Amino acid sequence: MNERTGIFSGSDPIEIVQRWLSEARETEPNDPDAMALSTVDESGLPDVRIVLLKQIDQDGFAFFTNYGSAKGRQIEATGKAAFVLHWKSLRRQVRVRGMIERLPAERADAYFTSRSANSRLGAWASEQSRPVASRAVLEERVEEARARHGEDPSRPPFWGGYLIRPLAIELWADGAHRLHDRFLWSRDAIRDLWAVERLYP
């Protein structure tokens, strides 16, 4: 029997992650929504970087980026991704693996509009993950974007959101003497019901 009480209580792992993130926003000093996103390149070599988790709903976990970035190209090639959230203040961790797809344009537009004008201009200026000669070149491109698009730029066609639809969610909490608590929710397909099991630490 997988007894789950306290911080692990609940039948829906996505709702538990939402609850944990809400708690982390009260305790974590910087970027509680920072997640280590993992993808693989065309040779199967793993690649990982920190991005910000911006939205959680019953469909999954969303973040935003340049489609032409290294991660964007890898996502488009494989349709799979994984990420880790780790909160030192709470001594908890969330691991997610699943399928990934582009968010609808209207959701990307809504989030892009919520960003500062300078951040939006930066999105226009940056050829993310590609070489740039100097910081000065980057700053020149920002000013060129400002001249072209003004102070209220719309979303570039090469920038948008991705949704990770989870097939596995593991919740971990630190325990004394390294006897941690780990619970794994898994399913074979997105529409399947979750199965949950306790894991050895």
Side-chain angles (χ1 to χ4, degrees):
M1 180 177 179
N2 293 318
E3 72 286 356
R4 286 181 294 101
T5 59
I7 63 172
F8 292 99
S9 62
S11 58
D12 185 334
I14 295 177
E15 290 180 359
I16 299 173
V17 175
Q18 288 175 312
R19 188 171 73 234
W20 283 19
L21 179 56
S22 179
E23 293 177 41
R25 287 184 174 130
E26 300 299 319
T27 62
E28 200 70 10
N30 291 300
D31 296 328
D33 53 353
M35 64 182 190
L37 175 72
S38 179
T39 54
V40 295
D41 66 16
E42 64 277 3
S43 70
L45 189 66
D47 206 352
V48 65
R49 78 289 288 163
I50 299 295
V51 300
L52 298 181
L53 173 62
K54 286 300 183 181
Q55 298 171 2
I56 307 176
D57 60 26
Q58 279 305 302
D59 290 326
F61 305 87
F63 66 95
F64 298 84
T65 191
N66 185 313
Y67 294 140
S69 64
K71 60 183 169 295
R73 297 193 303 272
Q74 292 163 7
I75 287 166
E76 298 291 339
T78 67
K80 299 174 183 176
F83 71 83
V84 175
L85 289 161
H86 178 244
W87 301 296
K88 283 183 176 290
S89 61
L90 297 178
R91 304 176 76 87
R92 298 180 204 168
Q93 174 178 279
V94 175
R95 297 174 63 206
V96 174
R97 303 171 74 210
M99 311 306 291
I100 188 166
E101 62 193 44
R102 288 191 186 190
L103 284 171
E106 57 270 19
R107 283 184 64 177
D109 288 340
Y111 174 70
F112 192 79
T113 300
S114 75
R115 305 176 87 206
S116 71
N118 285 335
S119 293
R120 285 183 277 160
L121 289 167
W124 274 103
S126 177
E127 296 182 33
Q128 193 172 30
S129 302
R130 290 175 168 79
V132 61
S134 67
R135 176 81 187 187
V137 170
L138 175 60
E139 292 174 354
E140 287 171 10
R141 287 180 59 91
V142 171
E143 292 311 310
E144 290 169 0
R146 192 185 311 276
R148 187 178 306 117
H149 302 289
E151 294 295 339
D152 187 24
S154 58
R155 179 176 63 91
F158 52 80
W159 191 100
Y162 286 104
L163 178 71
I164 300 174
R165 294 183 178 270
L167 293 173
I169 299 177
E170 182 190 313
L171 304 180
W172 175 100
D174 180 65
H177 313 296
R178 298 193 180 274
L179 297 179
H180 313 305
D181 288 309
R182 294 174 66 187
F183 289 94
L184 174 65
W185 280 258
S186 59
R187 54 189 180 182
D188 293 328
I190 298 301
R191 299 302 175 193
D192 289 352
L193 296 176
W194 290 107
V196 60
E197 55 189 348
R198 177 185 278 273
L199 304 180
Y200 278 107

